Amino acid sequence: MIEIRVDVPLAGSELRVEARLPAAVTAVMGPSGAGKTSLLEAIAGLRRRTRGRIACDDVVFLDTERGVAIAPERRRVGYVPQDAGLFPHLTAHGNVRFGAREDERRVETAIDTLDLRPLLPRHPASLSGGEKQRVALARALATSPRILLLDEPLAALDVELKERVLPYLVRIRDEWKVPMLYVTHNVGEALALAGEVLLLRDRRVEAQGRPLDLLSSPGLSVEAEAGIENLLPGRIAGHDAAGGVSRVELEGGIPLSVPLAATRPVGARVMAAIRAEDVLVSSAPVKGLSARNVYEARVEGLERTGVDVTLRCALTAAPSPWLARVTPAAVEALGLKAGQPVWLAPRRSAGRRSDRERDCPGAARGEARRRRRCRAATGTRCAGPPPGRRRDR
């Protein structure tokens, strides 16, 4: 349980947040300038003028009424910024070990969790964007954190690289059991990873709840207008070179055919991404359609998201609903309503997965902020050369 009740002085106004976050992963969402990054910095101890109370389980980071204020390096916070924040003069192995508190077993476990062994001798300049983020995640885990703070770690990556890194975030959530706050603008990422959404607007809490429950809320609806992806973890089940497809087995044993990905070995973890607007919806069994992926489902709910309507559809074996996006005219024409059986047919191009990583550099951030974040992320002061620059948000 993460308890937050803070006032954080910022330029122009104060960030004021009061929330109790019971979920393993909480997605922090909202428009630019809402205070998402500042909230993470306050939890990490980087905003020294913060007032109020911050606690993670039974450890109190800040309680100004009682005069408690733990230093950033003693909070054991794993902080991963958008640009990864790696030290360019250290190898990947050196970056992971930095600040690891001499717990080599923890270092080795983090390396194995993120599949980093082939990358350990290399320096950050030779790593792709996705590889850098995996090293940064391993470094955060190796510090034995009480909490992970991930500040848009996938924002600087292209779509394919996001799908490459997301399975590792799911694995961290499921295997490490470390509370996580995850800043994102991507509704699909929130749906795939988080059990709770904290929605900020104008430096205040606008809403809090399960991602699907907030889908029609004004704030999340605006974020959803850019598109919603069903992000579905699975494994490569086989390849059909003659047919031009690879077979993926999603959670629950659901089969999915995707464009051929012969370079990915059978058994490899993948994250299939199916955009909600790329899911065709039929009110009757589908016949004579070229789509290989057709699933019977039942409509759980309909939410107005911008100009469209998002359907929440339950597949028998799926652990969570799939989302399909249609026009209000389609809802009326098909007579769609909660409880109705439907058949879903994702377009062939919709079931993407990634089989490579490409460089995707971040952009500018100030050196002073980098040093503060390094101190929080590694539990020590850093004096190394600055990492790549990143874009201000």
Side-chain angles (χ1 to χ4, degrees), residues 42-158:
I43 295 170
L46 307 180
R47 293 278 179 173
R48 296 187 178 182
R49 296 169 60 198
T50 300
R51 304 184 307 276
R53 177 181 170 86
I54 303 171
C56 181
D57 294 328
D58 58 348
V59 179
V60 178
F61 293 168
L62 176 73
D63 192 328
T64 51
E65 290 183 0
R66 295 168 48 200
V68 176
I70 297 179
E73 63 269 25
R74 294 181 54 223
R75 296 191 182 193
R76 283 175 47 195
V77 169
Y79 200 117
V80 179
Q82 179 179 326
D83 65 354
L86 301 181
F87 299 113
H89 64 299
L90 297 178
T91 63
H93 196 192
N95 271 281
V96 175
R97 293 186 72 253
F98 193 88
R101 296 181 173 86
E102 300 182 357
D103 188 346
E104 285 298 324
R105 286 187 303 175
R106 187 88 174 185
V107 171
E108 294 300 310
T109 303
I111 287 170
D112 290 336
T113 297
L114 279 301
D115 292 335
L116 294 180
R117 295 209 175 274
L119 308 179
L120 294 181
R122 293 166 55 183
H123 284 78
S126 69
L127 300 176
S128 73
E131 289 168 343
K132 290 176 182 176
Q133 288 295 6
R134 284 159 56 195
V135 172
L137 286 165
R139 181 177 66 181
L141 291 173
T143 62
S144 301
R146 293 189 178 97
I147 182 173
L148 282 174
L149 305 178
L150 309 185
D151 190 2
E152 296 194 71
L154 306 184
L157 308 182
D158 64 23

Side-chain angles (χ1 to χ4, degrees), residues 168-318:
Y168 292 103
L169 294 174
V170 172
R171 187 175 181 184
I172 290 170
R173 178 196 67 190
D174 295 343
E175 296 181 8
W176 287 73
K177 311 296 185 185
V178 178
M180 185 189 306
L181 265 64
Y182 183 89
V183 172
T184 182
H185 288 276
N186 189 297
V187 175
E189 292 173 19
L191 291 168
L193 286 172
E196 191 99 354
V197 167
L198 185 67
L199 187 60
L200 303 183
R201 179 177 295 275
D202 297 327
R203 301 178 178 180
R204 299 292 187 271
V205 176
E206 181 177 90
Q208 180 183 348
R210 293 174 60 247
L212 283 173
D213 293 341
L214 295 183
L215 197 57
S216 61
S217 68
L220 213 58
S221 180
V222 169
E223 301 281 4
E225 285 184 10
I228 305 174
E229 287 185 321
N230 296 281
L231 297 172
L232 310 169
R235 293 179 181 271
I236 296 289
H239 303 290
D240 179 3
V245 298
S246 293
R247 297 185 303 276
V248 175
E249 183 177 294
L250 302 176
E251 290 183 341
I254 297 172
L256 177 72
S257 293
V258 301
L260 185 64
T263 58
R264 300 303 303 275
V266 172
R269 290 186 178 90
V270 293
M271 181 71 72
I274 302 175
R275 292 182 64 85
E277 53 266 42
D278 286 337
V279 179
L280 304 178
V281 180
S282 173
S283 59
V286 177
K287 296 181 180 179
L289 192 67
S290 63
R292 297 175 63 93
N293 305 306
V294 180
Y295 309 97
E296 185 176 359
R298 185 171 298 277
V299 178
E300 285 191 338
L302 302 86
E303 311 287 354
R304 189 66 183 255
T305 47
V307 298
D308 293 323
V309 176
T310 299
L311 309 181
R312 289 185 282 117
C313 302
L315 280 66
T316 301

